[in-house]
Amino acid sequence: MSELSLHDYLQELGGQFTEVNGMEAVESFGDVLAEYAALRNSAGVLDLSFRGRLSLGGADRNRFLHGQVTNSVTDLKPGEGCYAALTSAKAKMQSDLNVYCLLDELLLDFEPGLSAAVTDRLERYVISEDVTVIDVAPHYGLLTVQGPQAGNVIASAGLELELPAERLKFTTSNSPALGELYCMNQPRGDSMGFDLFVPASHLRVAAEKLLAAAKSAAGRPCGWQALETVRIEAGIPRFGADMDETNLPPETGIESRAISYSKGCYIGQEVIARIRTYGQPAKTLRSLCLAGDLQELPKKGDKLFYGAKEAGYITSAVTSPKFRSHIALGYVRREFNNSGTELTLHSTAGESPAVIA
């Protein structure tokens, strides 16, 4: 397991660690409900440096990536970003990506443990283009502030950063104390949120400043477990949990954010265009409300039935303080996936109802 560079500091704060796709992450700081409350009501600060970060350089970088991903890249100007999927020739997902257009490079931010696979996938298609792919994770850490007070926390942390007003846009600053910082408007739930890319040598100083500002706003350090709860409540799929190499992007609920149907050709475009032309995919990701008296949450892969017919399967599940219920994300076949449809969950705890929300 690849260890976080701030491991010792986070441990001093009470961090308890877990593994996410081979990378170390803070699971919690000992009080998941308090961390969840901070993300919901004030602000939580998290170290997401376990995520993958690649830099695309070279004169042809925008045109090259535009031909590799599902969203439009050539239209991006410095300070702008987009969300996209990286797909195979058969349109099966290989990763999702946050793509940011810097002055002289493109920055790709994606799920942990995929840096080698994404690099190999991109380099396979570099033929004569002037494109370089560099792993910048060792050089830049990733801190995020999430919650309704996230903007105020960053503004009062002394980082000299202007807040980007629109989602996936970003601002930069350069100071002798912290180096070159990037602040991305990136909510990771259904509230406000900002990602900060910070030089590795200044990561602890930036984290200390953010945590001090968060505590002044009744916020706190938060871990992966609380963030996952907020994500699933918002119905946001995560690659590696709710979507993987078996999925087509239109199945996953990211179509409106990640796919441009007006751009030029890209790897996998023919299949995705055909799905749009001829109708819905065979299954789609849905939010589910589970029985309140479940003895244990369902596991990934547990089956959903409509009567005697298999209708789908679970991908993620949590106990939701917001909805005061057990909830889940899961794929449901199109003939059964209307809101309000009651399915039956089959899990190790037995059979129980699951209603499409």
Side-chain angles (χ1 to χ4, degrees):
M1 183 168 64
S2 180
E3 190 174 277
L4 289 166
S5 64
L6 291 185
H7 175 96
D8 291 346
Y9 170 62
L10 297 168
Q11 193 169 47
E12 290 171 12
L13 295 175
Q16 301 166 5
F17 299 92
T18 188
E19 177 261 333
V20 181
N21 203 18
M23 308 296 287
E24 182 180 71
V26 177
E27 182 172 29
S28 77
F29 288 89
D31 191 339
V32 175
L33 286 178
E35 294 164 36
Y36 170 88
L39 293 172
R40 276 285 171 215
N41 303 318
S42 52
V45 180
L46 300 96
D47 185 356
L48 299 186
S49 299
F50 53 88
R51 289 178 59 85
R53 292 176 293 290
L54 295 178
S55 167
L56 265 61
D60 299 326
R61 61 189 181 274
N62 286 58
R63 179 172 60 83
F64 168 77
L65 190 64
H66 187 81
Q68 301 298 314
V69 301
T70 57
N71 213 339
S72 179
V73 176
T74 54
D75 295 336
L76 294 178
K77 300 177 179 62
E80 297 178 343
C82 71
Y83 176 65
L86 188 68
T87 55
S88 69
K90 294 183 178 181
K92 295 299 178 72
M93 290 189 66
Q94 296 174 313
S95 179
D96 64 343
L97 306 166
N98 295 311
V99 180
Y100 299 108
C101 182
L102 280 59
L103 193 60
D104 298 310
E105 62 186 300
L106 293 173
L107 176 63
L108 312 183
D109 161 55
F110 48 91
E111 290 296 320
L114 299 177
S115 294
V118 173
T119 298
D120 290 346
R121 161 65 173 77
L122 293 173
E123 289 183 338
R124 190 183 318 135
Y125 287 93
V126 177
I127 302 172
S128 60
E129 295 89 351
D130 179 10
V131 175
T132 59
V133 184
I134 300 172
D135 185 356
V136 293
H139 310 294
Y140 265 79
L142 172 54
L143 303 173
T144 192
V145 186
Q146 300 287 319
Q149 294 299 316
N152 293 334
V153 166
I154 293 173
S156 62
L159 303 180
E160 302 176 12
L161 277 166
E162 181 182 347
L163 291 174
E166 297 179 37
R167 189 182 182 118
L168 288 169
K169 290 193 174 182
F170 65 94
T171 59
T172 64
S173 71
N174 202 331
S175 72
L178 292 170
E180 192 169 32
L181 305 180
Y182 297 86
C183 178
M184 280 66 176
N185 188 322
Q186 183 62 268
R188 294 187 176 274
D190 57 11
S191 185
M192 183 181 295
F194 299 90
D195 285 357
L196 290 94
F197 293 89
V198 182
S201 57
H202 301 299
L203 191 60
R204 176 163 179 165
V205 174
E208 289 172 341
K209 288 178 176 290
L210 290 170
L211 282 172
K215 288 176 181 177
S216 296
R220 59 189 296 140
C222 294
W224 180 248
Q225 190 173 344
L227 185 64
E228 278 286 272
T229 300
V230 168
R231 175 188 72 81
I232 295 167
E233 287 178 341
I236 299 173
R238 179 169 67 82
F239 190 82
D242 310 292
M243 44 189 181
D244 57 29
E245 293 84 354
T246 67
N247 292 119
L248 302 162
E251 298 173 345
T252 65
I254 65 172
E255 184 176 21
S256 63
R257 296 186 291 132
I259 300 176
S260 168
Y261 286 106
S262 61
K263 62 174 286 186
C265 294
Y266 60 88
I267 306 300
Q269 182 193 32
E270 289 185 7
V271 176
I272 292 173
R274 195 157 55 242
I275 292 171
R276 188 188 190 210
T277 299
Y278 293 107
Q280 296 180 358
K283 63 181 185 295
T284 47
L285 194 70
R286 289 288 185 262
S287 295
L288 301 157
C289 184
L290 307 180
D293 58 354
L294 278 179
Q295 297 302 305
E296 60 181 78
L297 289 170
K299 297 178 176 59
K300 183 174 182 176
D302 282 349
K303 302 294 186 182
L304 296 164
F305 285 81
Y306 183 83
K309 295 181 179 180
E310 187 173 320
Y313 58 92
I314 297 293
T315 58
S316 295
V318 293
T319 300
S320 166
K322 177 181 179 180
F323 297 111
R324 299 181 181 180
S325 176
H326 305 303
I327 63 171
L329 297 177
Y331 286 94
V332 183
R333 293 188 59 81
R334 64 184 173 193
E335 59 264 40
F336 309 121
N337 67 13
N338 291 328
S339 295
T341 300
E342 184 172 316
L343 306 173
T344 301
L345 168 67
H346 289 209
S347 69
T348 55
E351 298 183 9
S352 59
V355 180
I356 297 177

